[in-house]
Amino acid sequence: MTTTTGTADATTQEVLAQRHRVDFWFDPACPWAWMTSRWMDEVAAQRDVDVHWHVMSLAVLNEGRDLPEGYRRMLDQAWGPVRVLVAAAAAHGDGVLKPLYDAMGTRRHPGGRSDLDAITAESLAEVGLPADLADVAGGDSVDDALRASHQGAIDLVGEDVGTPVVAIDGTGFFGPVMTPAPTGPAAARLYDGLVLATTVPGFYELKRSRTAGPQF
């Protein structure tokens, strides 16, 4: 028994010590994705991770579904910001996605704002990107690229999900969903647990009902 435990502990430490690629899909409209992204920032400060940011779209995800009118209106407005993010990445590289997302999300989530046109304009200016990128928000010129990025998440986790989607070395999950976002050692421990979960091929899901809203 002692030998088995020792071997398991050594294997666990080996897995956790590796550098892992993390792919993170988000929609800037989603407050839960925002919370998880703040957690990922905490993780990146404490663990050797290679984080890649991608957009997915709640509007695309919910196409054709029978939804409450209020949520449908929110989704109609959700197209614009993700289109701007896709256009910015196409023109200036994927490296602009995270800072632009941070700028948009800070205004929208902890900032509590809903004036999306102004948020987009201010965020582009903050990141040093051309103002005319906002022109794509109302059209479909980048929708093929948007759908392709979105599909990258769906291919990993299936249709019965939301945002965010987080994948570690190619194994993806919807979530983790949390409030508030853990910080410091607690954030690192949660990440370590998720890393270990990805090493179990048949592990699919853990869930409990949310009893609190996003606490920014």
Side-chain angles (χ1 to χ4, degrees):
M1 181 65 71
T2 301
T3 302
T4 302
T5 302
T7 302
D9 288 345
T11 301
T12 295
Q13 292 304 316
E14 181 181 353
V15 169
L16 295 179
Q18 295 170 7
R19 178 175 174 83
H20 298 281
R21 173 179 171 127
V22 177
D23 289 279
F24 191 115
W25 280 266
F26 65 92
D27 185 322
C30 179
W32 297 104
W34 176 256
M35 300 295 295
T36 307
S37 72
R38 301 311 92 184
W39 163 73
M40 184 52 62
D41 285 345
E42 288 282 323
V43 170
Q46 301 175 72
R47 293 292 186 264
D48 186 14
V49 291
D50 178 23
V51 185
H52 297 254
W53 299 86
H54 315 271
V55 295
M56 62 184 299
S57 170
L58 289 171
V60 172
L61 182 68
N62 287 283
E63 283 180 320
R65 297 182 181 180
D66 185 16
L67 300 168
E69 182 59 30
Y71 191 63
R72 172 58 60 193
R73 286 196 299 271
M74 186 280 288
L75 293 179
D76 289 344
Q77 296 173 348
W79 285 98
V82 286
R83 285 168 170 162
V84 173
L85 283 155
V86 169
H92 301 277
D94 289 344
V96 304
L97 280 174
K98 180 56 162 51
L100 185 55
Y101 175 42
D102 287 347
M104 289 179 170
T106 298
R107 290 166 171 82
R108 184 163 186 171
H109 298 303
R113 291 173 53 183
S114 58
D115 47 337
L116 298 184
D117 290 344
I119 287 173
T120 297
E122 292 171 18
S123 299
L124 288 169
E126 178 180 320
V127 180
L129 293 170
D132 61 5
L133 284 170
D135 295 344
V136 306
D140 61 2
S141 61
V142 299
D143 283 7
D144 286 348
L146 169 58
R147 291 177 183 277
S149 180
H150 175 87
Q151 191 62 41
I154 299 305
D155 288 345
L156 289 176
V157 297
E159 295 281 353
D160 188 24
V161 298
T163 57
V165 168
V166 175
I168 298 175
D169 296 334
T171 299
F173 296 102
F174 162 52
V177 175
M178 63 196 76
T179 185
T183 60
R189 286 195 299 271
L190 177 58
Y191 171 75
D192 291 346
L194 190 59
V195 169
L196 294 176
T198 66
T199 68
V200 181
F203 175 72
Y204 291 102
E205 183 175 352
L206 280 174
K207 187 170 183 177
R208 60 176 175 169
S209 296
R210 294 194 297 264
T211 58
Q215 300 172 35
F216 302 120

